[in-house]
Amino acid sequence: MGKTASPTYVYDFLKKLKKEGYIEEITTPKSKRSKGFKLTKKGGKFINRIFLRFDNLIEVAIQSKLKACASCGVKIYDDFHTETIGGKELVFCCGHCANAYKNSLNL
Ligand SMILES: [Zn+2]
């Protein structure tokens, strides 16, 4: 996201997560200076709720930008193939679908 987090912020955040019971400290034999954490069962449920919320937000954000191919009906987010047929600009997923559509109209 182009942002950096200071170590102070990260450790305060970890402390808060630990206090809330979302993570627990684990021993890391590699270094005495480094700390390891793992998600608790409660933390896993919390993360799943967060992911579900983001999933819903992304779906809502994308939904309005989706277009349906006039031929096969597949939903397209980007890179549409457009053709003007009978004075109307139609959206297709690809040139093959546009040709199939035109063939079905005997154009
Ligand atoms: Zn199509």
Side-chain angles (χ1 to χ4, degrees), residues 29-48:
K30 285 180 188 171
S31 165
K32 284 177 185 169
R33 289 185 58 214
S34 71
K35 281 184 178 179
F37 294 92
K38 72 171 191 175
L39 283 172
T40 60
K41 211 174 216 177
K42 185 183 174 184
K45 285 181 183 174
F46 175 71
I47 290 296
N48 283 334

Side-chain angles (χ1 to χ4, degrees), residues 69 71-72 74 93 97:
C69 172
S71 180
C72 72
V74 74
C93 62
C97 261

Side-chain angles (χ1 to χ4, degrees), residues 7-19:
T8 311
Y9 176 78
V10 171
Y11 282 105
D12 282 350
F13 186 60
L14 286 170
K15 207 184 281 180
K16 203 172 175 183
L17 290 174
K18 192 178 166 189
K19 193 181 164 196

